[in-house]
């Protein structure tokens, strides 16, 4: 877990081929990923983003989170301190477990995205009994 | 790229270098949370990104020209059978003090918390406002 004192916004590493048309920086949101028995939960800090400006796509097993931040520098003001940059967010994950894509739920509250992805039936952990005596007939 | 051209190759290399160095634009260590401050002749605006906190538990105090922010965020509690795959988001308490370029009318300070971004509007103290002195000609 990161202590509050040492947190810093990290710029996303975008591949050189994927240049964007919107001229602004892209940051990589900090995430927590929690695995539960039935689902995987992704929580991402994306300040400046609300439910209308976030875009989540799942293609095959590649999950892309994109958040758009609209911000206007106040007019007639000049910057005297600038400790953080403002820009969009993007982060891409490759999911190892099969996810039931029809049941994915996403919510955004106070700049925090929460993504609940139920596991597909196949990917749910099944316990395999092991015979102590070895396989019969061997 | 379909063709290779030494001029454009160089440009591309420069672009790559620019991307590498851009990461160092911001100061490397700042007290959490990072803040931006803008001022005009009559007001100051302070913004900070603190997603997911309870705005009612946030403490903002102003004395003359110093502003102090105090708040905290709890980490997600795990139940049995749940595991963290990643844990990057900050948690814990923070206190941050800032010195503004002028004293502030503390009774008129307004704060707004939206999409995880806190904006504080601080009007300059009446007695500190610049006064225009007209020169009379004899």
């Amino acid at each position: 877990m990161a202590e509050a004192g040492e947190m810093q916004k990290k710029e996303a590493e975008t591949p050189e081929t994927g240049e964007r048309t919107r001229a602004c920086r892209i940051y990589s949101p900090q995430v927590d990923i929690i695995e539960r028995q039935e689902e995987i939960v992704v929580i991402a800090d994306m300040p400046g983003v609300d439910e209308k400006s976030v875009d989540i796509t799942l293609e095959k097993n590649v999950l892309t989170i994109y958040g758009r931040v609209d911000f206007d520098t106040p007019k007639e003001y000049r910057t005297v301190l600038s400790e953080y940059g403002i820009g969009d967010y993007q982060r891409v994950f490759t999911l190892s477990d099969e996810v039931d894509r029809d049941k994915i739920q996403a919510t955004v509250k106070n700049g925090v995205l929460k993504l609940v992805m139920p596991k597909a039936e196949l990917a749910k952990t099944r316990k395999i009994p092991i015979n102590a005596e070895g396989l019969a007939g061997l | 790229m379909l063709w290779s051209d030494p001029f454009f190759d160089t440009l591309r290399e420069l672009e790559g270098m620019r991307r590498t160095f851009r990461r160092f634009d911001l100061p490397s260590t700042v007290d959490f949370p990072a803040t931006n401050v803008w001022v005009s002749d009559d007001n100051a605006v302070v913004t900070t990104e603190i997603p997911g906190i309870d705005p009612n538990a946030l403490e903002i105090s102003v004395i003359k020209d110093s502003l102090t922010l105090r708040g905290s965020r709890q980490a997600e509690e795990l139940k049995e059978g749940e595991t963290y795959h990643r844990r990057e988001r900050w948690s814990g308490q923070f206190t941050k003090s800032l010195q503004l370029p002028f004293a502030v009318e503390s009774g008129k300070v307004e704060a707004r918390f939206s999409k995880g971004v806190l904006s504080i509007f601080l009007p300059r103290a009446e007695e500190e406002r610049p006064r225009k002195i007209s020169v009379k000609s004899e």
Side-chain angles (χ1 to χ4, degrees), chain A residues 1 4 33 35 48 81 83 91, chain B residues 32 35 83 85 88 91 96:
Chain A
M1 173 184 26
I33 301 179
E35 174 155 14
L81 179 70
E83 289 179 340
R91 198 149 170 190
Chain B
F32 184 88
T35 44
T83 48
H85 285 207
E88 302 166 353
S91 65
K96 174 145 181 164

Side-chain angles (χ1 to χ4, degrees), chain B residues 7-62:
Chain B
F7 176 68
F8 281 104
D9 283 353
T10 317
L11 268 189
R12 221 150 56 113
E13 243 172 72
L14 278 173
E15 172 66 17
M17 270 161 71
R18 201 176 61 84
R19 280 166 194 263
T20 314
F21 284 111
R22 217 163 50 166
R23 256 166 256 159
F24 305 110
D25 279 357
L26 294 167
S28 55
T29 51
V30 291
D31 283 344
F32 184 88
T35 44
N36 288 353
V37 182
W38 290 273
V39 292
S40 69
D41 288 343
D42 301 329
N43 304 294
V45 174
V46 175
T47 64
T48 187
E49 297 182 330
I50 38 175
I53 67 150
D54 174 12
N56 297 321
L58 187 71
E59 227 180 273
I60 303 166
S61 54
V62 182

